[in-house]
Structures are given as C-alpha cells and as structure tokens.
Amino acid sequence: MNLGFIGLGTMGTAMATHLLRSGYTLRVWNRSSGPAARLQALGAQVANTPAEVAQDGTVIAMLADDAATQAVLLDAGVLAAVPRGGVLINTATLSPAVAQELAARHEARGVDYIAAPVFGRPDVAQAGKLQILAAGSADVIERVRPLLETLGQKLWYFGEQPARANVVKLAANFMIASAIEAMGEAATLTHGYGIEPAAFLEMISSTLFAAQVYQGYGKRIAQRQFEPAGFKLPLGLKDIRLALQAAEAVRVPMPFASVLRDSLLEGMAHGQEQMDWSSLARTIAQRAGQG
Amino acid sequence: MNLGFIGLGTMGTAMATHLLRSGYTLRVWNRSSGPAARLQALGAQVANTPAEVAQDGTVIAMLADDAATQAVLLDAGVLAAVPRGGVLINTATLSPAVAQELAARHEARGVDYIAAPVFGRPDVAQAGKLQILAAGSADVIERVRPLLETLGQKLWYFGEQPARANVVKLAANFMIASAIEAMGEAATLTHGYGIEPAAFLEMISSTLFAAQVYQGYGKRIAQRQFEPAGFKLPLGLKDIRLALQAAEAVRVPMPFASVLRDSLLEGMAHGQEQMDWSSLARTIAQRAGQG
Amino acid sequence: MNLGFIGLGTMGTAMATHLLRSGYTLRVWNRSSGPAARLQALGAQVANTPAEVAQDGTVIAMLADDAATQAVLLDAGVLAAVPRGGVLINTATLSPAVAQELAARHEARGVDYIAAPVFGRPDVAQAGKLQILAAGSADVIERVRPLLETLGQKLWYFGEQPARANVVKLAANFMIASAIEAMGEAATLTHGYGIEPAAFLEMISSTLFAAQVYQGYGKRIAQRQFEPAGFKLPLGLKDIRLALQAAEAVRVPMPFASVLRDSLLEGMAHGQEQMDWSSLARTIAQRAGQG
Amino acid sequence: MNLGFIGLGTMGTAMATHLLRSGYTLRVWNRSSGPAARLQALGAQVANTPAEVAQDGTVIAMLADDAATQAVLLDAGVLAAVPRGGVLINTATLSPAVAQELAARHEARGVDYIAAPVFGRPDVAQAGKLQILAAGSADVIERVRPLLETLGQKLWYFGEQPARANVVKLAANFMIASAIEAMGEAATLTHGYGIEPAAFLEMISSTLFAAQVYQGYGKRIAQRQFEPAGFKLPLGLKDIRLALQAAEAVRVPMPFASVLRDSLLEGMAHGQEQMDWSSLARTIAQRAGQG
C-alpha cells in the first residue's frame, strides 16, 4: 500500500521506519532534509513539497504542534492535494479546537479526517507497539484499521468527532505531569526528614505505583538527571496550556493543571528550557531550599 | 512466640488473624469487645486491659490515629507495662511528631520502638502480603524481622528514626489522593467533550497508568460508586492535614496537597462524610456542573 | 477640535458625551445605531462607516475587546483612513500582544498609536474624572494631553511602549478580582462562626480596607446582590485569562490569578454568566455549603 | 480605676502607656523585666508574678500567641487569682479554639471573658486610636466600654461568643496577606513588561486601592525593603495557619489562604525569617527570575 508521511521528527521517523519495514511504500516529507534522507536509505521516496505526499490518497501527519500542522496541511497545500475520498490520519498532539477546524476543512473538501494521537516513546513506535487514541468516522477507521494496527499494539476508539482523541491525549499528558508533581512533592517532603529521594521513589514505584510513568520519571527525579530531555519542559507547558484552554471551553476548573502551569512557568524562568519536564521536581525541591 | 496485639479494627483484625494462623500466640485487646471475641474463636487470648497485652514483651499496635495511640499506649498504661528490653511495633498511620514523641518516651523507659506502617487492604493483610515501611533501630528490626516478614511480603527500611516511616506513609497517601484528583480532573475534562468517564479511565489505567491505585479508584470514579467507602473521606482529609503539618515543620511547600485539602473540605461540606475519599472526583465534576 | 470616536458602549458613550459637553466636535460610529443616535442629539455627527471617523486625524477608540478592536481598526479600514501624522488613542482593555501588534501596524503607516485604558465607571467618565493609564510616545502624549486631561482627572504615564498601559490595566483588574476573592473567603470563614457577612465586610471596609473597591464590592457580597451586573463575570474571566497569558509570555507565575480563573470558570458552569463578577463570593460560599 | 496588664511587647507597652497617660492605675507584668521597668517610670506598679496583676479584678492581656496565653493565664495562675465577678479582656490574636476554651475556663470560675483583638500599629495604640474587635457578653462589654473606648477610637461588636472576635481578626489578617500577594503578583507581572514596581504600586495605591494597607505595604514592596520587619513572616505564617485551621473546623475551603501558606513557607525556606511578611513579594518575584 502507498502512503504519504509528513513530519519526520523523532517520533515520525520511528513510525515511518516501522511502516517501511512492515512493507508499506512511503512518500515522505519533512521541513529539514536530513530525516527524509535517512528514510530514503530505508526505501522511502522523498517528496519535494508537502503537497506531493498527498497523491496516493492516504496521508499520515506527525507535526510538532497546532501551528506547524496548520502551516503544512492548510497553507502548504497538503489538503488541497489529497484526492477526494482520501484520508488524512493526524497523529500529532493538537488542541481540540484546531482538530475540529481541520476536520471541518477536510470534510468540506471531501477528504476524511482521523485523529490518532499516540502514547509511546520512539523505541516503542519503531517496534509498532504504540497505544493509539483514535476518533473520527467509524467507517473510515475500519478502512484504515490495518494501517493503524501496524503502527500500534492497541486502538482505543473515542467516537466520531476527531477532537475527542485530542482531548484524551491532553488529559493523559496532564495526568503524567500530575504524577511528576506528586512524586516531586512527596520526595521533597520525605527528603525533609532525611530520606533519600531514591529510597522513597523506588519503594513507591515498586508498590502502589508500579507503572511505567512512575518508574521512568521516578528514576530521573531520584537521580536529578533532567538532561538530555525525553520531553522538554516547554513542550510540557504547551500541553498543560492546551489542556487548560480545552477545559475552559467546556467550563471545567482544573486546579491541579493550574498548579502545574505555574510550576512549569517557574522552571522556564529558571533556566530549565532544555531540561525534561520532570524537572518540575527540581522547582519543587528548590522552593523548599533543597538542591 | 507470644505477642500482644492492640487495636482490632478491620486492618488489625486481619493482621492478627494471619499471625494466629501462622502459629503465633496472641494476647489481644480492643476498645470494643466484638472483634476480640472473634479472634478468641481463632485461639487468641483476650486481655482485660491494654496493659495486659504488654507482658510478653513484644507488642504490635494498630490504633486509629494519633489521639487513640497516645491514649492507649501512654495513658492506658501499655508502655508502663512493657518489660525493659521489650519492643513496641507501631503499624498505625501517625504524624511524625507523635511518632517522635512516642519513640522518645519508649526509649526513656528502655523499650524499643519500631514504626512499621503498612500498605494493603484487609484481604492483603490477611494473606500476609502487606508492604511494610519500617524505621527504627536496625538491630531491633533484625530481631523482629521474622515477625514482620510474616505480616508482609516485603520490608522497606527507612533508617533509625521511627518518624521516617510515618512520613513515608503520609507521603504515599498524599500520592494516592493526587492520583484520584488527577483522574477526576482528567475525566471531567474529557467528559466535557462527550467521552464517558469509564472509557477514558479504562484506557488510561490499562496503558500509562496500569497500577492498582488507578485501576481500583478509576473504577469507582467511572461508576460514581463512592459507597460503601473503602477509606472514608474524613480519614483522607486527616492524612492530607498530617502531610501538610509534617511538611510545614520542615518548610516544604506542597501546592498539590493544599488543593487536595481544599477539595476534601468541600466534600465534607457537601455530605460526603460517609463516602470514599475517591468522591474527590464528585466534587470536581460538580464544580464543572457535571453530575 | 475635531475628533473621531469609535465604540459607543456604556463607557464610550459616557466619554463621548463628556467630550461633546466640553466643546469638542465629534464624529462618531458604533456597530449598532442606537447609541450613535443618542449622541447625535447632543451634537455629534454620525459616520456611516468606521473609516469615516478617521478623517480628522485624531481618533479615540473604546471597543469591547481584542477581536472587536482588530475587526474595526484593521479590517473595517479605520487605520487605512487615518491621515499620516494622525493619532489613534485606544482606551480599551486589550492584551499587550494585540496592543503591540496594533502599535506596529500604525507605526508602519505613519500613524501614532497611544494606549490609554481607564479606571472608572460610566458616571465617572461622564464627569471627566477617569484615571488614565497612558503609554506611547511621550511627544505624542504631550500633543494630546489637553484631550486626555478633559477625559480624566489624572494621567499616569508608563513609557513609550503602548502595551505597557494595557498590562497595567490587566494587573489592576487582577487586583480587583483578588480583593473580591479575599473578601469572599474571609466572609465565608467568619460566617462559619455565625457572623453576618454584612457585619464583617462593613467593618473591614471602614477600617483597614477603606477603599472604594472594597466598599462597593463588599456591599454586593454582603447583600448577595449580583444582578444587575456592573461588570459581568465572563468579562472578568476574560481579563484574568489575558493577565495569565500576558504573564506567561514573560514567565511570571501568578498563583492567585490561577485560583481566580478556576473560580470564575466554576461560576460560569453554575449559571452566573449574567451576574456581576463579584459573584465569585457566591461560588466560595457554596463550596462551604453556605447559601 | 485600677487595672492589671499582662504582656508588654511593643503593642502591649504602647497600650499600657496610653492607659497610664489617660489616668488609669496599672499593675503590670511581663516575662522579661525591661518593659515593666520602662512602664514603672511612667507610674505603673510592677507585679512580681502574673497572678499579682489579677487582684484588682480587671485584667487586660496582650500575649504573643495561643501557647503564651495559655501558659500565663492558666498555668501561671492569673485566672485562679482573678476575683469572682472580675473580667479578663484578651486583646491577643488567638485561635478561636483556644479563645473558646479560655472563655469556658473563665466562666467556670465566675470570671467574665471578653475577646478584644485590635487593629493598629504601636503608634496608633499609643494614641488610643486602635480599632477594637470585641465579642463576649454585651453586658460585660457595656461595663468595660469606657476602658475599651480609651484604648480605641472605635469598637466593633461581633456577638456573645468571644471566639468570634478572634476569627474576625484572623480573617482580617488573611485579607492583608492577600493584598500583599496580589500586589506582589501584579507588580511582578508589570515588571516583566519593564514597568518599575514603584510606578505601578504608587498608581494603584493612589487610585483604586487608596487604603493604608496598600500604601504601606506597597511602599515596602516597591523599595524591596523588608527589614526591619513591622510584622515578621513567621508570625504571618502562624496567622494564616490559624485561619486555615479555623476554616477547616467549619468546613470552609480557602484557596487563597492555601496559596499564602505555601508562599510564606517558601519564604521561611529561603532565609526570610527575620523579614517583614510583605517579603511574600520577594518570593513571588524570585519565582519569575526577577530579583
């Protein structure tokens, strides 16, 4: 099957690599040329313009944010180039408002639009083991199910409105940030009584919170190792901001999200822009005069 | 081995039952007589006064809170009755301040004092599978290790000062409450976009947060089933208050804990006293006009 | 002197009325025609299009918000119609980001741009007693000083960048909301001990807080009289949102503003859209089960 | 008239001085002897024990806090020494819980108990211009009205239960702290746009917030002059803690108070123990990387 793939950041590259290895024929495009060249070596065709990737009628997009997505899909002509009856599968983390607008713009041109943001790091993507949060027409999703099931180990379906998958993704990222903040506060409290953060965090993530989010970020917090970043703090701040905006649109107060926003902003003001967002815990410790 | 056991609430009864079945000889006491009678049927001796349980030199206490613990151990004469060289193993969730005072009072009388709060519900206790957070003299803990390892599947050691185990327990309970609040806010946000809480919470607790805390409380939140309570809201408020006080003593700001306190208090003001503390999610949903 | 005046809401009408009575010749425009007709009766000329008001080279704008301001000044052609060397005096409460953009757009066309948001209710405006927060070129402000001093009793100057006056206005509105929230929490606390809100609020606004903000809003809170609104809750929420966005742009955490946002949002979710923003106090009391 | 006066800190000394100058005969006691000696020079009799001041049947107490008050009035025998039918006028800032206990203890011995906390700095006290918040038996207050009206310019009466006056005082102090925090956040926001805090704060405290609290603390914040302290940060933290405890007892969530607690605690962790509590603004600015 022939596909277009737009957006070859770390995640996009991993996903495209897995698709190539699984037998798909890919036409790829990226703003900078390095990543496309690497995929060419694996058999991908490299498009000269974003619009070129649209010609086969099925396009996967994994762009950085709302603005990049709008710029490439709308302004750079991808949507205009997708044949009627084609489908755009958007795997990026977007605001529901922009997702809704994109869905409407695609519908107006007779192109199907599926939101399919994902959970999983690049190595998980490269192994085809992502969790996929999907929303959009059930019929269309059935049509592209083999493709989605190549990308991910499991498909979670949230209904006909694509924006729903995007709000689920934002809610999940909010929950990760909340887990980081909770670990940070708890470790700072216990450290105030002389307990090494590593001792507390290892115990908690082996018992009540034996889940990957706690184990992975718990380790970073225990070791105060926030660089190199897995997910940079400004990206975390952006997602919390999107969650707060999405919540405001439906009148949902989110006091934890408000605390997170303030704390991430404090990190931004203290040189943590290149750090992982788990450096939230650094901000918390510093407020207590630790570290 | 002969032991005293004081405090036969649901947890205490489950722990004592397991000890009896494991071959320990128990002298038990409880404020009300029903639970003691049930243990008598399993072979326990029933003491007429708290002090009587102290005579064999090893006492386990599982009392409700700071006040009950002080009343029974100090005022009702348990400590005075423990022979010099004996040991008191306190498994209750206490404030570090009271733990510290108890430790000092025991030391002054030549009695060892071990803090050993636990994680696990009554069925886990009855199976001897608790997680035990221990602090106190390492030598003494070695001495009672067989007993602790009968009670629990794993022993986590946090150092010589007993209060440390208590602050770890409070920090852990704070993390559970934070997980509940985060689920509540996330489910309310996604519900604002038409997604059933059950759909969101099942996904999140099967993927990123595949841990018992999320699965168990996630189910309650999804089903809005807050009664009968597993852990009542006022007890949750008490533990958050103790965490905040413990944090204040070592100058650690805990903004998430402050949010939790305010939300639990709001639940208290709206008839949730008999509900499970996961009814935090009810308060959050009501603020958004849901439910 | 001949002036254009755009935006005849309650405040705009009051300001324009005062200018007419002070001897200025006004050409006015408003989206709906009623207010313009009333000013015509006082001697104003009514323009058929926004652009028409620009012809005399000095324009005062008092439009509702960022969007209305951009729509009228940019899209509807006011800026294009102001002669080079003319001046636009913008008295609306805008975001600093939009103010900055407007200033740049005006500069590019050789038109001076002054930000001059104001404090004061319509009756104060009609008496020419506003407080004026001004920013922009000092020379230009000197040039229009007689006009500004007709509008207001006092001019506060905050520097050459127009956006500064806008951020000052947002900061001031944030402080008003904070005063309302503080009164609401304090009155709810004391009411919990049986003290009538009126008794507490009268005392506090006669002693430590003998300022108009406390006296005016204190009375509303004491009497639970939130309708008709002086300043509607959704407008308050908008200003707090603008303050938070302005703060985020310069990396300033504002925890009080975050609390206010959550509380105002809760009011929105509970039917307070038509109420005064001091109905924040209603939300606070309801959380405590009062009222 | 003969009076006893206990507690000669800065405020107590100022109040006692004014009473002596107004013709009252005073028997005074203080834990340290210096202040008593200074009042002796003004004509006071110095008691050797707290109990001695009780003999004339009317006692004013101005002790530091709950603990000092309980220690002196109960443990050191003042209450026991007041003749039946006497009256204790307590002007300290106490928790309502302790006030209630003291009232009950006095009633049990046939001694009247009036709570009369005050607003005003020492110079205001020395001029007899305090604001007095009074609660207790209306008859008793009538009886001591001439004395109270000597101390203060105005008496505010809050009902028969003495604890009410104490909760009013805590609520007022909470409002002062909220005003400081609001100024701090607003000044940090505007400073982020290049506006000097002094410029913003002078404007705001001359216009919307032309009240003493804003003018006095606004000046300190503008000049970053937090030493010497007028009211030390740890005392502010204590009062916010008492407000939160009083609120918890009647189930009133106070999110602003929670923010204040966290911020004051952060100040404690960063060497602000000797600073004025308006150094809250320092904490806020530092979070934003200012200062």
Side-chain angles (χ1 to χ4, degrees):
Chain A
M1 185 185 175
N2 296 332
L3 295 176
F5 199 111
I6 302 180
L8 301 171
T10 331
M11 276 300 285
T13 294
M15 291 160 72
T17 298
H18 178 66
L19 289 173
L20 284 167
R21 288 180 179 159
S22 304
Y24 285 88
T25 301
L26 257 61
R27 210 181 291 274
V28 303
W29 183 84
N30 192 59
R31 204 175 36 165
S32 61
S33 56
R38 280 191 289 279
L39 282 169
Q40 195 169 26
L42 295 173
Q45 288 177 268
V46 177
N48 294 312
T49 65
E52 254 183 69
V53 303
Q55 63 194 65
D56 298 318
T58 302
V59 182
I60 299 179
M62 182 40 133
L63 294 151
D65 54 21
D66 281 355
T69 300
Q70 289 174 309
V72 172
L73 298 194
L74 303 182
D75 306 343
V78 173
L79 169 55
V82 183
R84 288 186 77 83
V87 59
L88 191 293
I89 301 169
N90 200 335
T91 64
T93 300
L94 301 181
S95 68
V98 163
Q100 210 162 340
E101 189 208 337
L102 287 170
R105 296 283 290 271
H106 281 69
E107 191 183 0
R109 292 191 62 93
V111 174
D112 292 313
Y113 181 89
I114 298 297
V118 299
F119 292 152
R121 293 177 167 269
D123 57 329
V124 174
Q126 196 152 331
K129 298 289 188 198
L130 295 169
Q131 301 282 343
I132 302 186
L133 313 172
S137 155
D139 291 346
V140 177
I141 284 177
E142 277 319 297
R143 183 147 52 87
V144 298
R145 180 177 284 273
L147 172 56
L148 294 174
E149 290 188 341
T150 302
L151 284 171
Q153 63 173 297
K154 174 125 193 192
L155 195 65
W156 302 87
Y157 180 59
F158 291 99
E160 300 271 329
Q161 299 167 349
R164 285 189 176 182
N166 296 100
V167 80
V168 166
K169 170 78 190 209
L170 293 177
N173 278 7
F174 154 75
M175 283 183 62
I176 297 173
S178 293
I180 294 170
E181 170 88 22
M183 278 190 280
E185 293 189 20
T188 304
L189 165 59
T190 49
H191 192 46
Y193 285 82
I195 296 159
E196 278 307 305
F200 174 74
L201 292 166
E202 195 209 322
M203 181 279 294
I204 209 78
S205 63
S206 306
T207 56
L208 295 173
F209 294 95
Q212 201 198 333
V213 165
Y214 287 87
Q215 287 158 353
Y217 288 114
K219 204 170 220 173
R220 276 189 179 271
I221 296 170
Q223 302 174 345
R224 305 208 170 195
Q225 186 193 320
F226 303 120
E227 289 174 297
F231 187 64
K232 284 188 187 167
L233 193 141
L235 296 176
L237 176 57
K238 183 205 70 174
D239 283 1
I240 296 300
R241 186 196 310 125
L242 293 182
L244 282 165
Q245 286 170 354
E248 189 170 326
V250 291
R251 300 176 176 191
V252 173
M254 292 183 73
F256 264 21
S258 291
V259 168
L260 291 169
R261 180 191 165 281
D262 285 326
S263 294
L264 290 164
L265 214 41
E266 187 173 343
M268 295 287 283
H270 287 85
Q272 296 176 208
E273 279 190 300
Q274 298 301 319
M275 292 188 195
D276 191 74
W277 70 333
S278 54
S279 65
L280 259 175
R282 179 180 185 259
T283 301
I284 294 163
Q286 286 178 340
R287 282 189 201 137
Q290 293 175 9
Chain B
M1 186 186 173
N2 296 332
L3 294 176
F5 200 110
I6 302 179
L8 300 172
T10 332
M11 276 300 287
T13 295
M15 290 160 71
T17 299
H18 178 66
L19 289 173
L20 285 167
R21 289 179 178 158
S22 304
Y24 285 88
T25 302
L26 256 61
R27 208 182 292 274
V28 304
W29 183 85
N30 192 60
R31 202 176 35 165
S32 61
S33 57
R38 281 191 289 279
L39 283 169
Q40 194 169 27
L42 297 173
Q45 289 177 267
V46 177
N48 293 312
T49 66
E52 254 184 68
V53 303
Q55 61 194 64
D56 298 318
T58 301
V59 181
I60 299 179
M62 181 42 132
L63 294 151
D65 55 21
D66 282 354
T69 300
Q70 289 174 308
V72 172
L73 298 193
L74 304 182
D75 305 344
V78 173
L79 169 55
V82 183
R84 289 187 75 85
V87 58
L88 191 294
I89 301 170
N90 200 334
T91 64
T93 299
L94 301 181
S95 68
V98 163
Q100 209 162 339
E101 189 207 337
L102 287 169
R105 296 283 289 270
H106 281 70
E107 191 182 0
R109 293 190 63 93
V111 175
D112 292 313
Y113 181 90
I114 299 297
V118 299
F119 292 151
R121 292 175 168 270
D123 56 329
V124 174
Q126 196 153 332
K129 299 288 188 199
L130 295 168
Q131 302 283 343
I132 301 185
L133 314 173
S137 155
D139 289 347
V140 177
I141 284 177
E142 276 320 298
R143 183 145 54 89
V144 298
R145 179 177 285 274
L147 171 56
L148 294 175
E149 291 189 340
T150 302
L151 285 171
Q153 63 172 298
K154 174 125 194 192
L155 195 65
W156 302 88
Y157 180 60
F158 291 100
E160 300 273 329
Q161 299 168 346
R164 284 189 176 181
N166 296 100
V167 81
V168 165
K169 170 77 191 212
L170 293 177
N173 278 8
F174 154 75
M175 283 183 62
I176 297 174
S178 294
I180 293 170
E181 170 88 23
M183 279 191 278
E185 293 189 18
T188 304
L189 165 59
T190 50
H191 192 46
Y193 285 82
I195 296 158
E196 279 306 306
F200 174 74
L201 291 166
E202 195 209 321
M203 182 279 294
I204 209 78
S205 63
S206 306
T207 56
L208 295 174
F209 294 94
Q212 201 198 333
V213 166
Y214 287 88
Q215 288 158 351
Y217 288 114
K219 203 170 220 174
R220 275 188 180 271
I221 296 171
Q223 303 175 346
R224 304 207 170 196
Q225 186 192 322
F226 302 120
E227 288 175 298
F231 187 65
K232 284 189 187 166
L233 193 140
L235 296 176
L237 176 56
K238 183 205 70 175
D239 282 1
I240 296 299
R241 186 198 309 126
L242 292 182
L244 282 165
Q245 287 170 355
E248 189 170 324
V250 292
R251 301 176 174 191
V252 172
M254 293 183 72
F256 264 23
S258 291
V259 168
L260 291 169
R261 180 191 164 281
D262 285 326
S263 295
L264 290 164
L265 215 40
E266 186 172 343
M268 294 288 284
H270 287 85
Q272 297 176 206
E273 280 190 299
Q274 298 300 319
M275 293 188 194
D276 193 74
W277 70 334
S278 55
S279 64
L280 259 174
R282 180 180 184 259
T283 301
I284 295 163
Q286 285 179 340
R287 283 190 201 135
Q290 295 175 10
Chain C
M1 185 185 175
N2 296 333
L3 296 176
F5 199 109
I6 302 179
L8 301 172
T10 332
M11 275 301 286
T13 295
M15 290 160 71
T17 300
H18 178 66
L19 289 173
L20 285 166
R21 288 181 179 158
S22 304
Y24 285 88
T25 302
L26 256 61
R27 208 180 292 274
V28 302
W29 182 84
N30 192 59
R31 203 176 37 164
S32 61
S33 56
R38 281 191 289 280
L39 282 169
Q40 195 170 26
L42 296 173
Q45 288 176 269
V46 177
N48 293 313
T49 67
E52 254 184 69
V53 303
Q55 64 195 63
D56 299 318
T58 301
V59 182
I60 298 178
M62 182 41 131
L63 293 151
D65 54 22
D66 281 354
T69 300
Q70 288 174 309
V72 172
L73 297 193
L74 303 182
D75 305 343
V78 173
L79 169 56
V82 183
R84 287 187 77 85
V87 59
L88 192 293
I89 300 169
N90 200 334
T91 63
T93 299
L94 301 181
S95 68
V98 164
Q100 210 162 339
E101 189 208 337
L102 286 170
R105 297 284 291 270
H106 282 69
E107 190 183 359
R109 292 192 62 94
V111 175
D112 292 313
Y113 181 89
I114 298 297
V118 299
F119 292 152
R121 294 176 166 270
D123 57 328
V124 174
Q126 196 152 332
K129 298 289 187 198
L130 295 169
Q131 301 282 343
I132 301 185
L133 313 172
S137 155
D139 290 347
V140 177
I141 284 177
E142 276 319 297
R143 183 145 54 87
V144 298
R145 181 177 284 272
L147 172 56
L148 295 174
E149 290 187 341
T150 303
L151 285 171
Q153 63 173 296
K154 175 125 193 192
L155 195 65
W156 302 87
Y157 180 60
F158 291 100
E160 300 273 328
Q161 299 167 348
R164 285 188 176 182
N166 296 100
V167 81
V168 165
K169 170 78 190 210
L170 294 176
N173 278 7
F174 153 75
M175 284 183 62
I176 297 173
S178 294
I180 293 170
E181 170 88 23
M183 277 190 281
E185 293 189 19
T188 304
L189 165 59
T190 49
H191 192 46
Y193 285 83
I195 296 158
E196 278 306 306
F200 174 75
L201 292 166
E202 195 209 322
M203 181 278 293
I204 208 77
S205 62
S206 307
T207 55
L208 295 172
F209 294 95
Q212 201 198 333
V213 165
Y214 287 87
Q215 287 158 351
Y217 288 114
K219 203 171 221 173
R220 275 188 180 270
I221 296 170
Q223 303 175 345
R224 305 207 170 196
Q225 185 192 323
F226 303 120
E227 287 175 298
F231 187 65
K232 284 188 187 168
L233 192 140
L235 296 176
L237 176 57
K238 184 205 69 175
D239 282 1
I240 297 300
R241 186 197 310 125
L242 293 182
L244 282 165
Q245 287 171 355
E248 188 170 326
V250 292
R251 301 175 175 191
V252 172
M254 292 183 73
F256 263 22
S258 291
V259 168
L260 291 169
R261 179 190 165 282
D262 285 326
S263 294
L264 289 164
L265 214 41
E266 187 172 342
M268 295 287 284
H270 287 83
Q272 297 176 206
E273 280 190 298
Q274 298 300 319
M275 293 188 194
D276 192 73
W277 70 333
S278 55
S279 65
L280 259 174
R282 180 180 185 260
T283 301
I284 294 162
Q286 286 179 340
R287 281 189 201 137
Q290 293 175 9
Chain D
M1 185 185 176
N2 296 332
L3 295 175
F5 200 111
I6 302 179
L8 301 171
T10 331
M11 276 300 285
T13 296
M15 291 160 71
T17 299
H18 177 67
L19 289 173
L20 285 167
R21 288 180 179 158
S22 304
Y24 285 88
T25 302
L26 255 61
R27 208 180 293 274
V28 302
W29 182 84
N30 192 59
R31 204 176 34 166
S32 60
S33 57
R38 280 191 289 279
L39 282 169
Q40 195 169 27
L42 296 172
Q45 288 176 267
V46 177
N48 293 313
T49 66
E52 254 184 69
V53 303
Q55 63 195 64
D56 298 318
T58 302
V59 181
I60 299 179
M62 182 40 132
L63 293 151
D65 54 22
D66 281 355
T69 300
Q70 289 174 308
V72 172
L73 297 192
L74 303 182
D75 305 344
V78 172
L79 169 55
V82 182
R84 287 187 78 84
V87 59
L88 191 294
I89 300 170
N90 199 334
T91 64
T93 299
L94 300 182
S95 68
V98 164
Q100 210 161 340
E101 189 207 338
L102 287 170
R105 297 284 290 270
H106 282 69
E107 191 182 0
R109 293 191 61 93
V111 175
D112 292 313
Y113 181 90
I114 299 297
V118 299
F119 293 152
R121 294 176 166 269
D123 56 328
V124 174
Q126 195 153 333
K129 298 288 188 198
L130 295 169
Q131 301 282 342
I132 301 185
L133 313 172
S137 154
D139 290 347
V140 178
I141 285 177
E142 275 320 297
R143 183 147 53 87
V144 297
R145 180 178 284 274
L147 172 56
L148 294 174
E149 290 188 340
T150 302
L151 284 171
Q153 62 173 298
K154 174 126 194 193
L155 194 65
W156 302 87
Y157 180 60
F158 290 100
E160 300 272 328
Q161 299 168 346
R164 284 190 176 180
N166 296 101
V167 81
V168 165
K169 170 78 192 213
L170 293 177
N173 278 7
F174 154 75
M175 283 184 63
I176 297 173
S178 294
I180 293 171
E181 171 88 22
M183 278 190 279
E185 292 189 20
T188 305
L189 165 58
T190 49
H191 192 46
Y193 285 82
I195 297 158
E196 279 305 307
F200 174 75
L201 292 167
E202 195 209 321
M203 182 279 292
I204 209 77
S205 63
S206 306
T207 55
L208 295 173
F209 294 94
Q212 201 198 331
V213 165
Y214 287 89
Q215 287 158 352
Y217 287 115
K219 203 171 221 173
R220 275 189 179 270
I221 296 171
Q223 303 175 346
R224 305 207 170 196
Q225 185 193 323
F226 303 120
E227 287 174 298
F231 188 64
K232 284 188 187 167
L233 193 140
L235 296 176
L237 176 57
K238 184 205 68 174
D239 282 1
I240 296 300
R241 186 197 310 125
L242 293 182
L244 282 165
Q245 287 171 354
E248 189 170 326
V250 291
R251 302 176 175 191
V252 172
M254 292 183 73
F256 264 21
S258 291
V259 168
L260 291 169
R261 181 191 164 281
D262 285 326
S263 294
L264 289 164
L265 215 40
E266 186 172 344
M268 294 287 284
H270 287 84
Q272 296 175 206
E273 280 190 297
Q274 298 301 319
M275 294 189 195
D276 192 75
W277 71 333
S278 55
S279 65
L280 259 175
R282 180 180 183 258
T283 301
I284 295 163
Q286 285 179 341
R287 282 191 201 135
Q290 294 175 11

